[in-house]
């Protein structure tokens, strides 16, 4: 029986239990169970939290990316640049639009999209004789582990090459770059409310956020059969609605998101101070950005040995992610890889996510450090 879990969504419920129970009770006796007053209230509250005019609740984070891209008219024949070192959902969402994922290597220090690799791909894309290449339309940077991607370079390359930016914020609710929340830099952004995310529902949920009213309307149409307000299908849509129960639960939890992120940060500081200089760390915060501290990630060439020995000490860890998207059989033939993904493949072999969730007792984080420092010399 492990004594320290890597994540534990139930403890998030327990710490917000009264508010969540009241929210659920309110929905049960409410007027509607789908796209009612809870969903629209959550959409307004979440948009206000980000500092944007619109958020649109959808069924999950994968759909949020897909619908944001489709609302931008991205589909078959188009190319969307993103990373392979991410949840496979990012790449899945791009393929769901009919577009082709064009995969870019990560920077070894941040584990997010490498601007140099991006620049090289963009400058070489239209040279050469290869025919049938997808037309590049957008970049989907992933704020992995809660750390903002290299937005300055990404935004300027996007502008130079006429590409839309859709941020994958599934791991970064509340992260900031230059004092502004991530999710506000691209034309649109996508959030997941999967239970283990920084803002987690008790089931599936997601949102698209944007300050573009016309784009928001298109996402609203796409999430429900293509329907406009008069229930005329003006676009070919799908069913991707956020339900009232999840919206009400998210409303109960949103006011605590910043405090929960602060708890993640305090735990991360315990890890950082004990481990800095002793093992590779994927740093979270930087001079002009603050991570949402979704994961605390260490790197080691013998990652699997460390993981096994920690488990022997009753400490559970996870790997985000052991297989880059382009090495999953279901996606390997659907992606374009203009340059080798060497840092991506190295990261996948080395990264390890330590236990981290707001309710993790600080002394458990200390126990993890002690165990890890004991194991390290003989790993
Ligand atoms: C969780 C996650 C997604 C997908 O969200 P779902 O709600 O599971 O569909 C997409 N991208 C990243 C980076 C994620 O962590």
């Amino acid at each position: 029986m492990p004594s320290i879990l890597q994540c534990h969504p139930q403890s998030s419920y327990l710490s917000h239990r009264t508010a969540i129970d009241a929210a659920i009770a309110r929905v049960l006796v409410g007027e509607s169970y789908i796209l009612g007053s809870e969903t629209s209230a959550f959409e307004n509250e979440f948009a206000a939290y980000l500092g944007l005019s619109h958020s649109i609740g959808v069924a999950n984070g994968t759909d949020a990316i897909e619908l944001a891209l489709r609302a931008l008219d991205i589909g078959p024949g188009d190319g969307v640049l993103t990373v392979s070192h991410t949840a496979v959902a990012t790449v899945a969402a791009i393929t769901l639009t009919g577009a082709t994922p064009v995969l870019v290597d990560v920077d070894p220090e941040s584990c997010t999209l490498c601007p140099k690799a991006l620049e090289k791909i963009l400058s070489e894309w239209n040279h050469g004789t290869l025919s049938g290449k997808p037309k590049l339309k957008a970049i989907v940077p992933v704020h992995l582990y809660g750390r903002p991607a290299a937005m300055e370079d990404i935004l300027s390359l996007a502008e130079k090459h006429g590409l839309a930016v859709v941020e994958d914020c599934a791991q970064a609710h509340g992260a900031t770059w230059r004092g502004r929340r991530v999710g506000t830099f691209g034309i649109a952004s996508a959030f997941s409310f999967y239970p283990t995310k920084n803002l987690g529902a008790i089931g599936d949920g997601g949102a698209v956020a944007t300050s573009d009213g016309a784009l928001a309307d298109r996402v609203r149409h796409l999430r429900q059969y293509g329907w406009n307000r008069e229930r005329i299908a003006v676009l070919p849509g799908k069913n991707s609605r956020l339900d009232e129960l999840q919206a009400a639960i998210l409303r109960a939890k949103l006011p605590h998101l910043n405090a929960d992120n602060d708890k993640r940060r305090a735990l991360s500081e315990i890890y950082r101070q004990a481990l800095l200089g002793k093992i590779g760390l994927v740093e979270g915060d930087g001079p002009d950005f603050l991570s949402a501290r979704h994961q605390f990630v260490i790197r080691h060439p013998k990652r699997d040995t460390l993981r096994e020995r920690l488990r022997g000490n009753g400490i559970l860890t996870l790997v985000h992610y052991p297989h880059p998207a382009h090495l999953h059989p279901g996606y390997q033939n659907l992606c374009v890889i203009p340059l080798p993904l060497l840092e991506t493949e190295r990261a996948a072999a080395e990264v390890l996510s330590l236990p981290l969730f707001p309710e993790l007792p600080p002394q458990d984080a200390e126990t993890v450090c002690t165990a890890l420092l004991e194991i390290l010399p003989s790993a």
Side-chain angles (χ1 to χ4, degrees):
M1 180 59 189
S3 52
I4 302 182
L5 302 175
Q6 203 277 338
C7 58
H8 193 226
Q10 186 202 107
S11 64
S12 171
Y13 164 60
L14 294 175
S15 71
H16 306 298
R17 186 173 201 160
T18 313
I20 291 174
D21 287 355
I24 291 171
R26 197 168 69 227
V27 172
L28 294 179
V29 297
E31 294 298 322
S32 69
Y33 296 150
I34 290 281
L35 294 189
S37 57
E38 298 288 344
T39 302
S40 54
F42 172 70
E43 289 174 339
N44 291 336
E45 289 157 13
F46 190 59
Y49 173 82
L50 295 173
L52 288 176
S53 37
H54 306 278
S55 92
I56 304 99
V58 298
N60 55 66
T62 310
D63 281 2
I65 301 168
E66 179 201 343
L67 295 185
L69 292 172
R70 286 182 59 191
L72 288 163
D73 251 327
I74 288 165
D78 297 334
V80 178
L81 294 138
T82 192
V83 287
S84 190
H85 183 60
T86 180
V88 76
T90 312
V91 169
I94 294 167
T95 63
L96 283 166
T97 69
T100 301
V102 179
L103 300 177
V104 186
D105 209 1
V106 291
D107 171 81
E109 184 240 337
S110 66
C111 286
T112 62
L113 192 145
C114 174
K116 285 207 178 73
L118 176 65
E119 185 167 21
K120 191 152 195 283
I121 290 169
L122 288 173
S123 67
E124 291 174 3
W125 190 258
N126 293 319
H127 305 297
T129 50
L130 201 66
S131 65
K133 262 190 205 171
K135 179 163 173 35
L136 297 179
K137 288 278 185 71
I139 307 173
V140 177
V142 180
H143 305 304
L144 196 74
Y145 310 143
R147 172 183 169 134
M151 291 314 289
E152 176 158 26
D153 292 334
I154 291 169
L155 291 171
S156 79
L157 285 168
E159 197 185 337
K160 181 170 165 204
H161 294 270
L163 302 170
V165 173
V166 173
E167 297 171 72
D168 180 345
C169 302
Q171 304 191 0
H173 320 62
T176 56
W177 180 60
R178 297 193 177 153
R180 234 169 85 192
R181 294 204 200 288
V182 302
T184 61
F185 297 102
I187 177 76
S189 57
F191 289 83
S192 164
F193 306 121
Y194 184 82
T196 57
K197 309 291 189 189
N198 290 48
L199 180 61
I202 304 188
D204 274 311
V208 177
T210 182
S211 56
D212 181 322
L215 191 64
D217 276 341
R218 286 170 64 81
V219 174
R220 279 190 197 100
H221 300 158
L222 288 169
R223 78 169 163 186
Q224 183 161 241
Y225 329 128
W227 271 357
N228 67 8
R229 282 191 182 79
E230 289 73 46
R231 302 201 162 184
I232 305 296
V234 292
L235 293 169
K238 64 189 281 185
N239 175 351
S240 181
R241 298 175 296 223
L242 181 67
D243 70 71
E244 288 284 282
L245 275 175
Q246 301 309 332
I249 290 165
L250 290 166
R251 290 185 72 198
K253 291 179 75 172
L254 178 60
H256 305 286
L257 173 57
N258 287 347
D260 280 349
N261 282 353
D262 287 344
K263 288 180 190 158
R264 291 175 179 272
R265 167 162 290 102
L267 292 162
S268 301
E269 272 312 300
I270 294 175
Y271 285 142
R272 192 175 176 276
Q273 306 223 326
L275 302 177
L276 192 65
K278 311 237 163 64
I279 191 168
L281 304 181
V282 182
E283 292 279 6
D285 302 336
D288 58 358
F289 57 89
L290 281 180
S291 168
R293 293 294 186 179
H294 180 59
Q295 299 293 351
F296 190 92
V297 176
I298 61 173
R299 289 185 70 145
H300 196 276
K302 296 219 174 120
R303 185 263 320 279
D304 293 332
T305 309
L306 286 188
R307 192 170 185 220
E308 223 21 73
R309 306 234 347 236
L310 284 169
R311 186 199 293 273
N313 284 266
I315 297 164
L316 297 188
T317 57
L318 284 172
V319 176
H320 301 96
Y321 291 90
H323 308 292
H326 69 282
L327 297 180
H328 282 268
Y331 291 97
Q332 62 187 2
N333 298 325
L334 300 180
C335 300
V336 168
I337 301 170
L339 293 173
L341 301 175
L342 300 177
E343 293 301 340
T344 296
E345 290 179 17
R346 200 161 68 88
E350 292 187 355
V351 293
L352 185 65
S353 305
L354 299 183
L356 185 64
F357 49 94
E359 300 79 16
L360 181 76
Q363 57 276 28
D364 283 6
E366 278 156 22
T367 304
V368 173
C369 295
T370 309
L372 194 55
L373 293 174
E374 231 168 73
I375 292 164
L376 261 183
S378 58

